[in-house]
Amino acid sequence: MSLPLTVLEGVLERITYANEDNGYTVARVAPARRRDAGPDGDLLTVVGALLGAQPGESLRMEGRWGSHPSYGRQFTVENYETVLPATVQGIRRYLGSGLIKGIGPRIADRIVEHFGVDTLDVIEEDAGRLVEVPGLGPKRTAKIAAAWEEQKAIKEVMVFLQGVGVSTSIAVRIYKKYGDDSVRVVREQPYRLAADVWGIGFLTADRIAQAVGIPHDSPERAKAGLRHALSQSADQGNCYLPQEQLIADAVKLLQVDTGLVIDCLGELAADEEGVVRERVPDPQDPAGEITAVYLVPFHRAELSLSGRLRALLRAREDRLPAFRDVDWDRALTWLAGRTGAELAPEQRAAVRLALTEKVAVLTGGPGCGKSFTVRSVVELARAKQARVVLAAPTGRAAKRLAELTGAEASTVHRLLELKPGGDAAYDQDRPLDADLVVVDEASMLDLLLANKLVKAVAPGAHLLLVGDVDQLPSVGAGEVLRDLLADGGPIPAVRLTRIFRQAQESGVVTNAHRINAGKPPLTQGLADFFLFVEEDTEQAGLLTVDVAARRLPARFGLDPRRDVQVLAPMHRGPAGAGALNGLLQQAVTPARPGLAEKRYGGRVFRVGDKVTQVRNNYDKGANGVFNGTVGHVTGIDTVEQRLTVLTDEAEEVGYDFDELDELAHAYAVTIHRSQGSEYPAVVIPVTTGAWMMLQRNLLYTAVTRAKRLVVLVGSKRALGQAVRTVSAGRRWTALDHRLRFAPREA
């Protein structure tokens, strides 16, 4: 027998937990009526979908009383509405809660002291009168009035979206994107949300569409599902999908007739901004062909990148003409005197290649001299007064490149001066003023970024791409470095294979090469490579935290935030990056009185936290802030509702509180996210809980992120699985084919 529906009124004092995906919230409420209070007059616990409710608001909640076995008496909310407070004390608490950007507790006190019970009417009807309050000028007054109006409008959108289960952060984003048009777009074109609003995928848009009455078998839904299947595939690294696989994936996703999917795919292919179908060689059968289906941006980028690379190779101009007829013996003797070391034969070949060919690739594992080779190329080019530009995909990699060469280096994004929307300030119409462009960590270049980069290289300039092709491919779609190195391709390349004697003394380097060769790492008798055996996955997670936060700092004098990085094979699970971040935050940056913090969803951000950006945002910072950028929280302003991060590129970036789902903690990151970075020490949980993810190139990439020290924590069986398992197949990409042959349309 269900308990009767009843009404509870009170002020929302604090939110203790909120799930941003479904709006489920656990909160503490001060009841308006004494008879509703707890046995000691304490705050009450309420649970349910309190979508959009903010601390300080007066709520009228409909629901049922119940008892939780662990947490005692609580009220389960089924519906609620916000009731503006009527008492001076209620208004003061409401305004001082941080609900309205620009009003904190002190300003709230001043406003309420001046206007009393009329405060909210004044803000609503005649906000200009706020200048009467001491310390509030016209600028702050206008800001408060605008924030009040936006809050009201967002509330209206949230009330509408509450019925379709959309989270608070998504509702705010919908409003920011469409403004007063939000409800109309959601009702009439719900699948637009998946394309326009970050954080809304097809599944959320589909749930909204069904709630507003879009038929299950509508062509609009089928086309959105096809786009989603291609987009999901791109997130997994593919530039296209074979047509048969795409149709099968879409039918499974949509649960509709195959004929409808085929018809809608045809309509998308007929649309210039829909999809592109093209016959390409079958990677699994060189003699056969398949029909590849691309989202338009990836098809354009593949055609453009292959065409630009071929054009650079064929260019008649040469911006490094001095090296056409140089006396190489003499040049390399001069170089040895300059650097204090002789180049090995492979390195000499790489230096000549970079300075005589318009496009060249240098690859090789750790300890094989890639860095010294790059320094040598730069030294020789500079000696001939060449303009050299250095870049890398991440801030850390760019900093390392600058230290190595003694020249300025930047991220690729900053070099190209990417603008809001993703367009670059430098492209084929306005190329970089550079005779030689060197890009390190090129295994991280995805198709779209590589295309932007190559378009900005001037005809006649030389492009040298440097990276370890045995590492994981880029997080984004494509495997550009591997395609450039494909057999029979036109791009000249050198692979360094000799491990130098000094590097042979490093357990990190030795074991990286052993892993890459399919041999188990040596884990005993080394001063810089350790294995802590723990078969239980949950215990391995706890041990990982202890090693990273306490043992390594104590034994080696390392800073647990700056010098130690936990690299996990996956995000989920008790030894995954998600769980480890919570535990590491407790160990490294625990809650302390006076330490500013902001709760967002299930996470808490504190000043000092190590964080990472989880999406490309071209509107932030000087030239955008990109997926994988790492920094630490330097400020939390509860009045302006803003959190500040200082990135590894020494740039201060602000985040409004409703943008905090763009940030994740970075005490632990997945190995994929660590690409391009280097850390003094890495701790790697290797457990059977991550069995499906354990592959050789994943472990190899993790180990090669360490400059001085590696600690593996976990199961010997899982470690053996990782060493034995070679990555399953190539990504769906046709760049290597396009570099060899002109494309053919379907």
Side-chain angles (χ1 to χ4, degrees), residues 648-667:
D648 277 353
E649 296 170 52
E651 182 177 18
E652 279 211 333
V653 179
Y655 293 81
D656 289 342
F657 283 174
D658 59 30
E659 297 176 314
L660 292 182
D661 52 356
E662 293 190 22
L663 287 178
H665 291 100
Y667 299 100

Side-chain angles (χ1 to χ4, degrees), residues 453-496:
L453 170 70
V454 172
K455 275 204 276 193
V457 178
H462 290 227
L463 172 64
L464 174 63
L465 298 171
V466 184
D468 186 346
V469 75
D470 293 323
Q471 288 181 22
L472 290 167
S474 57
V475 173
E479 42 188 353
V480 172
L481 189 63
R482 190 175 297 277
D483 282 339
L484 298 189
L485 289 165
D487 290 342
I491 309 297
V494 169
R495 180 167 191 145
L496 303 179

